[in-house]
């Protein structure tokens, strides 16, 4: 049963729905009253057809007219401006109309009293308390059945009052049942409205988060793509859409993944669709800096691709998120720097060759040179040779061909010579250099390149040490191969800089502001030499306490 006339006041969002809600309440009131009026009218028509059996036709019609008047008022009153508590007057007046009609109906229409069930249900379904609804039902139903006795002139008897008591009992039970049912229904409706309000808030919050996420994803300079377990796209930001369009072939606005122009590091060799980074990511592989070139011609771009797989609560693969970093400018800058170094190195080689040639010719005239000049020329020649070796190393690093020829070598003698050469530099710097390596240590290595690597490490240990400090050179053969350690008590390296010490031209900011000379190539050359031996180099350092460089060169099994 509907709840006519119930209008709830509210604030904020509730105000926005008060107009439609009031319109619904007005419709409910009219429909509820229409149900009674229609039934009432048919009952009256039946009664008038047998009017000779009615006790009082005027009273009989008066009840009907009263009901019609109430219905007309329900259709015309401005219910939006009438307090909801006054709506209950409508069914109360209906009880009076039913009582009049029943009183005038006589014995021919004894069922007229059943019309009281409709206003009883109305009152019970409203927001009055159950006790109030039952009380009204009892009083109203007693009025309906006893009013005929009050209008008659005969003497009332106890039996006459008790005989029709079945109707009040039925209406009382009906009022209690409908009231309880209405309360339960209201509780369900309230819970449903609360659930709907929470759902609307959740949906709105979700939309806000979606807008925020979309804005954030479209703001970042990295292309992002999320796919589900079946490889279907579920998210793609604006930068990735641009990258996808750049990889599309000409005249193909919406290409398939296999049709995209994706090339390897040489920028010309197409990558087969089955081993492309996105395909591998969809298959569950986590990518770390996979580099490809996309597009063609002058618009070709370099991308560094990372991916991270997603898993559901059961640990099953649920999809992956792929990021695309545009590193075109970085790679072009590195290529330009390599080209510059290569060109400069080649330009250095010609004058250095000429300088060394004339120095050699001049030194051959030793007998006729003034006293002391030969020594100066030897120093110039030695430094020119060192500069020539540096140029050769730069060319080799740029070309990726650092020639190493491992042979059976007495590493102990090589380390002893390196320590002897570095001793003079150490003494001038006020640093103590100690060689703890065995005097004879047989291993397989390139003697010239190994000497160059150790000399670079010892030179750095002297340069970045402090007066009164120490340097320890040690070596041994173990299960991992030849192990060489250069440990110093110098200024040390910051933790965040350790991963950069072997990079080309890297020099710590604190070193760049000091008077320590260097171009940041010694450790790179050393690492290249060790790598060409198939070995590894690592560093452990603590600022203010010193550093320890460890070189490991694998040895052939015997």
């Amino acid at each position: 049963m509907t709840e006519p006339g119930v209008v709830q006041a509210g604030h904020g969002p509730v105000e926005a729905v008060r107009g439609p809600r009031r319109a619904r309440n007005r419709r409910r009131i009219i429909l509820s009253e229409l149900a009674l009026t229609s039934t009432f009218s048919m009952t009256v028509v039946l009664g008038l057809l047998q009017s000779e059996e009615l006790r009082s036709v005027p009273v009989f019609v008066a009840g009907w007219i009263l009901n019609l008047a109430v219905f007309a008022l329900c259709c015309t009153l401005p219910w939006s401006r009438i307090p909801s508590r006054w709506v209950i007057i409508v069914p109360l007046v209906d009880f009076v109309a039913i009582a009049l009609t029943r009183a005038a109906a006589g014995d021919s229409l004894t069922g007229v009293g059943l019309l009281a069930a409709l206003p009883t249900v109305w009152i019970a379904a409203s927001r009055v308390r159950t006790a109030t609804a039952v009380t009204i039902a009892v009083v109203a139903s007693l009025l309906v059945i006893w009013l005929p006795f009050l209008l008659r002139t005969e003497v009332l008897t106890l039996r006459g009052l008790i005989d029709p008591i079945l109707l009040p009992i039925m209406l009382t039970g009906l009022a209690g049942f409908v009231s309880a049912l209405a309360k339960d229904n209201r509780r369900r409706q309230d819970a449903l409205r609360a659930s709907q309000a929470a759902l609307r808030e959740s949906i709105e919050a979700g939309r806000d988060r979606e807008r925020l996420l979309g804005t954030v994803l479209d703001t970042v300079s990295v292309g992002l793509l999320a796919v589900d377990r079946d490889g279907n796209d579920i998210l793609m930001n604006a930068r990735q859409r641009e990258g996808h369009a750049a990889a599309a072939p000409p005249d193909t606005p919406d290409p398939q993944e296999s049709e995209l122009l994706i090339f390897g590091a040489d920028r010309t060799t197409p990558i087969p669709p089955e081993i492309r980074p996105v395909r591998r990511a969809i298959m569950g592989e986590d990518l770390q800096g996979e580099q490809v070139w996309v597009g063609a011609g002058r618009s070709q771009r370099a991308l560094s691709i990372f991916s991270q797989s997603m898993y559901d609560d059961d640990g099953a693969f649920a999809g992956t998120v792929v990021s695309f970093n545009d590193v075109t400018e970085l790679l072009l800058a590195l290529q330009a720097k390599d080209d510059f170094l290569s060109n400069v190195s080649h330009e250095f080689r010609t004058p250095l060759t000429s300088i060394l040639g004339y120095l050699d010719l001049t030194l051959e005239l030793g007998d006729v040179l003034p006293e002391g000049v030969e020594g100066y020329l030897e120093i110039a020649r030695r430094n020119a040779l060192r500069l020539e070796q540096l140029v050769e190393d730069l060319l080799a690093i740029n070309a990726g061909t650092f020639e190493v020829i491992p042979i059976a070598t007495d590493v102990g003698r090589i380390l002893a010579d390196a320590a002897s050469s570095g001793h003079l530099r150490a003494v001038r710097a006020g640093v103590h250099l100690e060689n703890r390596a065995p005097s004879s240590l047989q291993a397989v290595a390139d003697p010239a390149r190994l000497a160059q690597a150790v000399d670079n490490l010892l030179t750095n240990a002297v340069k970045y040490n402090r007066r009164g400090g120490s340097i320890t050179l040690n070596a041994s053969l173990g299960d991992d191969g030849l192990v060489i350690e250069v440990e110093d008590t110098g200024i040390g390296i910051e933790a965040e800089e350790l991963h950069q010490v072997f990079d080309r031209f890297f020099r710590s900011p604190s070193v760049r502001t000091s008077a320590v000379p260097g171009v940041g190539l010694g450790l790179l050359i050393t690492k290249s030499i060790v790598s060409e031996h198939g070995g590894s180099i690592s560093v452990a350092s603590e600022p203010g306490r010193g550093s320890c460089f460890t070189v490991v060169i694998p040895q052939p099994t015997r």
Side-chain angles (χ1 to χ4, degrees):
M1 187 66 181
T2 57
E3 300 180 35
V6 179
V7 179
Q8 295 181 339
H11 301 281
V14 176
E15 294 295 332
V17 299
R18 290 186 67 182
R21 182 176 297 176
R22 286 168 175 170
R24 290 195 299 270
N25 289 336
R26 175 186 178 87
R27 184 167 58 252
R28 289 170 183 172
I29 293 172
I30 294 174
L31 291 177
S32 298
E33 186 63 17
L34 177 61
L36 175 61
T37 302
S38 301
T39 308
F40 208 142
S41 299
M42 288 187 291
T43 302
V44 170
V45 171
L46 291 175
L48 292 177
L49 291 176
Q50 43 187 342
S51 57
E52 65 279 358
E53 298 182 10
L54 299 177
R55 289 195 179 97
S56 175
V57 174
V59 176
F60 186 80
V61 175
W64 178 44
I65 293 174
L66 178 59
N67 174 256
L68 292 176
V70 171
F71 177 70
L73 289 174
C74 288
C75 295
T76 57
L77 286 176
W79 293 108
S80 60
R81 296 197 294 270
I82 298 175
S84 60
R85 62 179 179 272
W86 294 106
V87 179
I88 199 172
I89 295 177
V90 175
L92 293 178
V93 176
D94 287 334
F95 275 121
V96 175
I98 294 169
L100 290 173
T101 302
R102 185 179 183 281
D107 296 333
S108 62
L109 292 173
T110 55
V112 173
L114 294 177
L115 292 173
L118 295 177
T120 298
V121 171
W122 185 333
I123 293 173
S126 64
R127 291 188 177 270
V128 299
R129 293 182 298 177
T130 301
T132 302
V134 171
T135 301
I136 294 175
V138 171
V139 173
S141 59
L142 289 175
L143 173 65
V144 170
I145 64 173
W146 285 347
L147 185 61
F149 295 103
L150 299 177
L151 295 177
R152 296 175 189 173
T153 58
E154 64 263 22
V155 179
L156 294 176
T157 63
L158 180 61
R159 180 169 181 169
L161 292 174
I162 294 177
D163 281 347
I165 205 70
L166 180 60
L167 179 62
I169 293 175
M170 293 176 57
L171 294 181
T172 301
L174 180 62
F177 172 75
V178 172
S179 179
L181 189 63
K183 282 188 175 181
D184 182 68
N185 183 54
R186 281 195 295 271
R187 283 194 295 268
R188 293 176 183 273
Q189 287 181 344
D190 291 341
L192 179 60
R193 281 192 290 268
S195 176
Q196 289 175 339
L199 180 60
R200 284 194 297 269
E201 292 179 0
S202 178
I203 292 175
E204 188 60 32
R207 288 173 178 168
D208 290 341
R209 287 192 293 269
E210 183 179 1
R211 284 191 292 269
L212 176 61
L213 177 62
T215 302
V216 171
L217 293 180
D218 288 341
T219 301
V220 299
S221 58
V222 177
L224 292 173
L225 171 67
V227 296
D228 60 18
R229 69 183 75 234
D230 299 321
N232 301 313
D233 296 351
I234 56 178
L235 183 148
M236 182 185 295
N237 69 345
R239 181 55 63 92
Q240 176 54 19
R241 286 192 290 270
E242 295 174 1
H244 188 80
D251 303 325
T252 309
D254 188 19
Q256 300 293 326
E257 175 68 22
S258 59
E259 298 175 325
L260 295 178
L261 302 178
I262 301 179
F263 305 95
D266 61 359
R267 306 177 65 170
T268 57
T269 304
I271 300 178
E274 62 273 9
I275 61 172
R276 289 181 177 180
V278 174
R279 175 63 180 172
R280 288 157 50 198
I282 293 174
M283 299 303 295
E285 181 179 350
D286 290 339
L287 306 178
Q288 294 294 326
E290 191 81 13
Q291 183 180 312
V292 298
W293 286 85
V294 299
R298 300 178 62 87
S299 62
Q300 195 175 45
R301 309 298 294 176
L303 300 178
S304 180
I305 304 175
F306 296 79
S307 71
Q308 180 65 51
S309 299
M310 299 183 294
Y311 299 91
D312 59 21
D313 294 338
D314 297 328
F317 179 74
T320 189
V321 177
V322 188
S323 67
F324 302 83
N325 299 278
D326 191 328
V327 293
T328 308
E329 302 303 328
L330 175 61
L331 292 183
L332 293 179
L334 291 176
Q335 182 180 349
K337 185 170 68 172
D338 291 342
D339 293 342
F340 172 76
L341 288 175
S342 179
N343 292 333
V344 169
S345 300
H346 278 291
E347 292 299 324
F348 279 168
R349 175 184 286 176
T350 300
L352 277 174
T353 302
S354 178
I355 291 172
L356 284 170
Y358 281 105
L359 284 173
D360 289 338
L361 290 175
T362 304
L363 285 171
E364 291 177 1
L365 304 175
D367 295 338
V368 297
L369 292 175
E371 184 179 356
V373 172
E374 186 175 358
Y376 298 149
L377 292 176
E378 283 290 350
I379 294 174
R381 182 178 182 276
R382 185 166 58 250
N383 283 279
L385 287 172
R386 184 177 180 183
L387 183 57
E388 184 184 44
Q389 183 61 52
L390 180 60
V391 170
E392 293 295 334
D393 290 340
L394 279 174
L395 291 173
I397 290 173
N398 283 335
T401 56
F402 217 101
E403 187 179 9
V404 169
I405 305 175
I407 60 174
T409 304
D410 187 352
V411 176
R413 185 179 61 80
I414 292 176
L415 298 183
D417 292 342
S420 177
S421 299
H423 180 71
L424 180 59
R425 293 192 298 270
V427 170
R428 289 176 178 173
V431 176
H432 175 66
L433 173 58
E434 180 181 1
N435 179 19
R436 296 180 181 177
S439 58
S440 179
L441 184 63
Q442 296 296 322
V444 176
D446 186 312
R449 291 302 187 184
L450 183 61
Q452 183 182 5
V454 174
D455 182 66
N456 286 339
L457 293 177
L458 291 176
T459 300
N460 278 356
V462 171
K463 286 197 300 184
Y464 302 118
N465 216 315
R466 53 173 62 90
R467 185 167 291 276
S470 63
I471 301 171
T472 303
L473 173 63
N474 203 351
S476 63
L477 277 175
D479 294 337
D480 295 332
L482 174 64
V483 179
I484 301 174
E485 293 181 341
V486 177
E487 185 175 3
D488 65 68
T489 59
I491 61 177
I493 306 169
E494 297 290 341
E496 61 271 15
E497 298 174 353
L498 283 175
H499 69 286
Q500 296 178 278
V501 295
F502 299 106
D503 291 349
R504 186 180 305 183
F505 303 118
F506 174 77
R507 301 192 75 211
S508 171
S510 60
V511 171
R512 289 199 300 267
T513 57
S514 67
V516 179
V519 293
L521 286 175
L523 289 179
L524 173 64
I525 293 172
T526 301
K527 182 180 181 181
S528 299
I529 292 173
V530 174
S531 297
E532 289 298 323
H533 279 86
S536 63
I537 181 171
S538 59
V539 57
S541 184
E542 184 177 348
R545 300 287 299 272
S547 306
C548 180
F549 286 84
T550 303
V551 173
V552 179
I553 299 178
Q555 295 297 296
T557 56
R558 297 180 180 179

